[in-house]
Amino acid sequence: MRITIIGGGISGLSLAFALLQKRHNIELRVFEGEGEAGGKIRTVKTEGFLCEASVNGFLNNRPETLTLASKLSLNPLKSNDNARKRLILSNNKLQLIPDNPKSFFTSGFLSISGRLRVLLELLMPKGNADDESLESFGIRRVGKEFFEKLLDPLASGIYAGDPSKMSIRSCFGKVFDIEKKYGSLIRGFIAMSKEAKKTGKRASAGPSGVLYSFAEGMISLINALKNSLGERIITGKQLISVEKRPNLYELFFQDGTVYESDIVIFAIPANNLAIIISNMDKTIAKILETITYPPVTVVATGLAKNKIGQDMNSFGFLIPSTENRNTLGTLFDSSIFSNRAPSGKVLLRTFVGGARKPELAMLDDDKIVNMVMKELSDILKITSDPDFVRIFRWPKAIPQYLIGHHRKLQQLDEQLQNHKGLYLTGNAYRGVSVNDCIANNLLLAEKVVMDMGL
């Protein structure tokens, strides 16, 4: 039984590893179109700075990534305690996000009327739609101020998305389910907290937990997977089309080679797959075309610590759209993890673009750096030019789960029933984080083994 995985990012590599853990003697290949596997996970070490091109870690709120790291003999690096402090820009000032209900209602993070509106959530009627936008859901349940100050920047921070179009059901499914089950988010959180005390399990409806990475950055996870898979990974092989034959699939590559495979698993962006699969199944292609990827550019800057007027002992800050800024937010990477910057220096990573202002991500280097430094200088009271700058551009960054995304998944699942041995995986479907990709691929590995009787 020949298994072929198309795509050598974290999804393709972790799936290959999971399949081999279950059946070590299967014939398996991973084809990656780029010259190097890893996808968007890239770590650059230069001039004493250790920069992540995209994701800088993973949360410990799910065990699968930590378990994978253990199997690969990796030692995860826990983030510094000060990284648990998160900031929001509000009225041009950085404000600490309260981390518990008591501080939330006493800190002044929201106005008195905003806090009262949150309490009134207990009296709000339960929604009956099968999906709605994050903006609609947030304002309906907890009020406009809470949405604008917290949920809106959260959407930018995780998805670089537009909350007026993002699906609450697909982006924040636990929150959506809590309302359906309890009729109130507050009532639901209270019930979950009581249950957590009984079971000892942490109760959370959103992205919580402690952030982890590795001493040499997230590329350590990719390198360990590559070393484990060895020659099964074939890079620089760009797939251009796939055709279904009786009991197998033919894969046509740009260099003219053709491979046959009994099982094909696509772990590439949905927009790329739409082109590849269009001749074989136009219905699947049309669904995939509706999953959009706005551009995001990451601007890493290194500065002397004594040239910054703001306390840097926190995770970083997000910016609500009501602040009318040109950047989405900035992470204080050297405060989050040790060894990210030389002594006396700090490393910042600022995010530009996303669904709301995609054109800004495509500015030329000088303009984007000047724009970023102007905002950082104002917000962080910086008094010098950066000593170090590195730009990472992602023309198609994070897949957007728009309203009705769950229906697209249902349609894809139904259509895939017509193609035995064909599977889709990756962050375009059921979660965008590293944790999501790894956990989903453990489930997919089980499914492939059962479906094919391996």
Side-chain angles (χ1 to χ4, degrees):
M1 187 71 71
R2 297 160 296 183
I3 299 179
T4 301
I5 297 174
I6 304 297
I10 185 61
S11 288
L13 298 180
S14 63
L15 175 60
F17 184 85
L19 285 167
L20 289 168
Q21 289 277 296
K22 294 184 177 300
R23 299 292 186 271
H24 69 276
N25 59 347
I26 58 175
E27 183 181 339
L28 182 147
R29 292 171 296 195
V30 179
F31 288 107
E32 166 57 43
E34 300 294 327
E36 189 174 353
K40 290 185 173 68
I41 295 181
R42 300 179 190 173
T43 306
V44 175
K45 194 170 185 179
T46 179
E47 299 181 39
F49 293 94
L50 193 150
C51 298
E52 300 287 8
S54 59
V55 61
N56 72 337
F58 58 93
L59 295 170
N60 69 342
N61 58 358
R62 298 179 70 171
E64 293 88 355
T65 306
L66 288 170
T67 300
L68 175 60
S70 177
K71 289 180 178 179
L72 293 168
S73 300
L74 292 173
N75 296 313
L77 175 67
K78 182 182 176 183
S79 59
N80 299 322
D81 287 343
N82 57 29
R84 299 182 191 183
K85 295 187 292 184
R86 317 244 171 159
L87 305 171
I88 290 287
L89 187 69
S90 179
N91 296 319
N92 294 318
K93 294 181 180 180
L94 292 178
Q95 191 170 359
L96 184 68
I97 301 175
D99 60 359
N100 61 71
K102 181 179 178 181
S103 62
F104 177 82
F105 284 102
T106 59
S107 67
F109 181 75
L110 295 182
S111 66
I112 293 175
S113 60
R115 282 173 269 176
L116 289 174
R117 175 59 183 85
V118 172
L119 289 175
L120 286 175
E121 193 274 339
L122 283 162
L123 304 178
M124 294 296 109
K126 181 169 70 172
N128 55 16
D130 75 334
D131 198 6
E132 65 182 304
S133 73
L134 172 61
E135 180 178 47
S136 170
F137 181 92
I139 292 175
R140 178 171 61 79
R141 290 243 55 99
V142 292
K144 185 177 181 181
E145 186 180 351
F146 186 95
F147 165 76
E148 289 181 345
K149 289 195 71 171
L150 193 59
L151 299 183
D152 169 89
L154 185 65
S156 294
I158 298 175
Y159 292 92
D162 180 348
S164 70
K165 299 176 182 178
M166 291 169 56
S167 160
I168 181 66
R169 177 171 179 159
S170 295
C171 296
F172 299 97
K174 288 183 180 179
V175 176
F176 177 83
D177 291 340
I178 288 171
E179 187 199 25
K180 294 299 182 189
K181 181 176 181 179
Y182 298 99
S184 160
L185 301 184
I186 294 176
R187 231 179 346 258
F189 292 146
I190 292 172
M192 290 167 61
S193 296
K194 290 180 179 178
E195 184 64 25
K197 289 180 181 178
K198 293 179 183 178
T199 62
K201 295 181 179 179
R202 185 182 178 91
S204 174
S208 63
V210 178
L211 190 70
Y212 280 80
S213 180
F214 304 94
E216 296 300 315
M218 287 297 289
I219 198 64
S220 299
L221 182 59
I222 297 298
N223 288 339
L225 286 167
K226 286 164 60 175
N227 291 337
S228 175
L229 297 172
E231 294 182 356
R232 295 181 181 90
I233 303 173
I234 304 168
T235 58
K237 293 282 286 187
Q238 187 73 49
L239 184 70
I240 57 174
S241 67
V242 58
E243 295 294 340
K244 187 176 181 180
R245 304 290 183 237
N247 302 318
L248 61 83
Y249 294 90
E250 282 188 335
L251 301 166
F252 298 85
F253 291 86
Q254 196 171 47
D255 61 6
T257 55
V258 181
Y259 284 81
E260 293 182 349
S261 187
D262 304 292
I263 299 172
V264 177
I265 307 170
F266 287 104
I268 58 177
N271 56 312
N272 294 344
L273 179 54
I275 298 170
I276 290 169
I277 207 169
S278 59
N279 288 335
M280 193 186 88
D281 194 310
K282 286 182 170 54
T283 300
I284 290 178
K286 287 180 179 179
I287 298 169
L288 296 175
E289 286 171 356
T290 67
I291 300 175
T292 59
Y293 293 72
V296 173
T297 292
V298 183
V299 181
T301 51
L303 301 108
K305 192 172 185 178
N306 61 8
K307 299 297 183 181
I308 302 176
Q310 169 69 32
D311 178 13
M312 300 300 290
N313 290 318
S314 67
F315 187 85
F317 62 90
L318 294 173
I319 303 178
S321 59
T322 52
E323 293 293 311
N324 295 315
R325 296 280 184 163
N326 290 321
T327 59
L328 301 175
T330 297
L331 300 184
F332 302 166
D333 273 21
S334 53
S335 297
I336 300 171
F337 293 110
S338 58
N339 303 322
R340 265 36 179 183
S343 177
K345 306 284 186 180
V346 298
L347 176 64
L348 312 178
R349 286 192 309 137
T350 302
F351 298 81
V352 179
R356 280 184 161 165
K357 295 185 177 181
E359 69 284 356
L360 296 182
M362 307 313 294
L363 293 174
D364 62 38
D365 288 1
D366 288 343
K367 287 182 179 179
I368 206 166
V369 171
N370 289 337
M371 181 182 72
V372 165
M373 287 309 303
K374 182 179 179 181
E375 294 209 345
L376 287 180
S377 296
D378 178 43
I379 296 168
L380 300 179
K381 308 299 184 287
I382 296 172
T383 58
S384 72
D385 292 332
D387 301 319
F388 166 86
V389 175
R390 187 68 185 252
I391 298 172
F392 303 97
R393 294 184 180 275
W394 301 108
K396 294 183 181 295
I398 304 172
Q400 300 296 292
Y401 298 175
L402 305 182
I403 301 169
H405 182 79
H406 69 288
R407 290 190 287 273
K408 297 177 186 178
L409 300 184
Q410 291 168 358
Q411 292 166 5
L412 284 173
D413 288 342
E414 291 170 3
Q415 196 65 17
L416 285 169
Q417 295 299 314
N418 300 322
H419 306 292
K420 183 180 179 181
L422 185 70
Y423 302 88
L424 310 184
T425 188
N427 68 352
Y429 310 108
R430 293 177 171 87
V432 300
S433 72
V434 169
N435 277 349
D436 292 326
C437 293
I438 291 171
N440 289 339
N441 281 318
L442 287 174
L443 297 175
L444 180 56
E446 288 274 5
K447 178 174 172 56
V448 171
V449 168
M450 289 183 62
D451 287 352
M452 309 312 294
L454 298 175

